[in-house]
Amino acid sequence: MKLSIALAASLLMVVPANAQTDTSSAAVYLPSCLAAADIAQGKHPAADSTEAAKQLRKAALCFGAITAVAGLEPLFKPEFAACPPADKKITFNQMVLTVTGYLKSHREKLGENFHQLAAAALVNAWPCAKPSSK
């Protein structure tokens, strides 16, 4: 029994610990958003293929997260709110492409929270007018 415990303890000391991945980081979401961007741009395999199913499963994480951010955006403080032009309807595909483009062009931020970066991407694309001071 003592030998078993000693072997188990020595294995625990030898086996390297796996680094914890921040599941909310943009690095986790980027592959999903790249797949989502392909779908948004019409770049996808035949609808009934297994490749299309794989791509959709991969993209689902990004689609869901952007849906959540867009749905909550009206509740954000004004400094974190996006203001798309009133005369234009911003499509979900445009939001997906905007967020994905932002992630690709800000790779140094991929360790940060995806949801915050997605909101920042939307604000960057459609900033609100600053009130004029008189």
Side-chain angles (χ1 to χ4, degrees):
M1 178 71 168
K2 289 182 184 179
L3 181 60
S4 298
I5 294 172
L7 283 173
S10 64
L11 281 175
L12 288 174
M13 287 188 264
V14 175
V15 176
N18 291 331
Q20 296 268 334
T21 302
D22 181 4
T23 57
S24 65
S25 76
V28 170
Y29 282 80
L30 181 59
S32 176
C33 286
L34 292 172
D38 282 348
I39 291 170
Q41 293 174 324
K43 300 176 189 172
H44 47 81
D48 60 348
S49 72
T50 58
E51 288 302 312
K54 285 180 191 176
Q55 183 185 30
L56 189 55
R57 276 193 306 274
K58 190 174 186 181
L61 179 66
C62 184
F63 283 144
I66 292 175
T67 299
V69 170
L72 293 172
E73 194 275 332
L75 304 175
F76 293 168
K77 292 180 180 179
E79 61 268 25
F80 302 112
C83 294
D87 60 337
K88 293 184 181 175
K89 170 93 171 103
I90 302 303
T91 67
F92 185 72
N93 284 350
Q94 287 174 293
M95 286 190 267
V96 168
L97 295 173
T98 297
V99 170
T100 303
Y102 187 87
L103 295 178
K104 287 169 50 177
S105 64
H106 293 88
R107 290 189 179 269
E108 74 282 0
K109 295 183 177 189
L110 292 180
E112 297 178 24
N113 181 282
F114 170 79
H115 301 89
Q116 291 173 343
L117 290 178
L122 299 176
V123 170
N124 187 56
W126 300 288
C128 294
K130 301 207 187 282
S132 59
S133 56
K134 292 185 180 185

